[in-house]
Amino acid sequence: MATQVSSDISTNINITARKNDSFYLEATLTNEDDTVFDLTSYTSVVLEIKKPSGTLVKKITNTGTASSDTTESLKAETITNDTTNGIIKIDVPYSTTVGDSTFTNMNLLVGSYDYTLKISSSTELHTVMHGRFKIID
């Protein structure tokens, strides 16, 4: 007889990226029966990278736009989702120019961070990936 129930659908995946390089990640979401997860109603995709203390250091969204924000929490990055094929693509260029300013997008300090990749609709929120985000030199 089962004595434990979990509604956690996220997968623990550790990611390694090189400091100041471009960053690309493609994830295909599937259901338990290996069919494609339908992303049609999910309008928001967010990758958050945090220090172990919980402080947000980078936020990449599919709804973000280029801005003059120079903080580490949000710069112009790109996430796209192929809703009918369950594919999420994160494609962060080496640098982004906004007006007269150029930002190096993956300028995190060398070290290990925590991350979550979340999708949401008007009625649902799901963490689909989580784990360690390691930056190497």
Side-chain angles (χ1 to χ4, degrees):
M1 177 174 191
T3 59
Q4 183 174 331
V5 175
S6 175
S7 65
D8 183 10
I9 66 166
S10 66
T11 302
N12 186 345
I13 298 174
N14 295 326
I15 297 171
T16 300
R18 188 162 300 277
K19 180 181 177 180
N20 293 328
D21 276 5
S22 299
F23 176 74
Y24 182 83
L25 175 74
E26 184 174 313
T28 302
L29 305 184
T30 57
N31 297 304
E32 282 189 9
D33 63 359
D34 286 330
T35 58
V36 171
F37 187 88
D38 185 3
L39 290 167
T40 305
S41 65
Y42 294 89
T43 55
S44 176
V45 182
V46 178
L47 173 69
E48 289 185 336
I49 302 170
K50 297 180 178 183
K51 292 180 181 178
S53 65
T55 304
L56 182 68
V57 293
K58 187 70 68 176
K59 182 177 182 180
I60 304 169
T61 72
N62 67 326
T63 57
T65 58
S67 73
S68 58
D69 186 354
T70 59
T71 68
E72 291 305 314
S73 62
L74 179 61
K75 292 184 183 165
E77 291 97 2
T78 304
I79 294 182
T80 56
N81 54 321
D82 180 344
T83 56
T84 56
N85 293 311
I87 299 172
I88 296 173
K89 292 180 185 177
I90 303 169
D91 190 1
V92 182
Y94 160 72
S95 66
T96 301
T97 301
V98 180
D100 294 333
S101 301
T102 299
F103 302 105
T104 303
N105 291 317
M106 292 302 290
N107 59 347
L108 297 167
L109 296 176
V110 171
S112 203
Y113 302 86
D114 297 318
Y115 83 91
T116 56
L117 179 63
K118 297 179 181 184
I119 59 173
S120 62
S121 69
S122 61
T123 59
E124 295 186 27
L125 171 68
H126 296 290
T127 301
V128 293
M129 286 173 51
H130 69 280
R132 301 297 285 165
F133 198 102
K134 184 177 180 182
I135 299 293
I136 60 174
D137 204 5

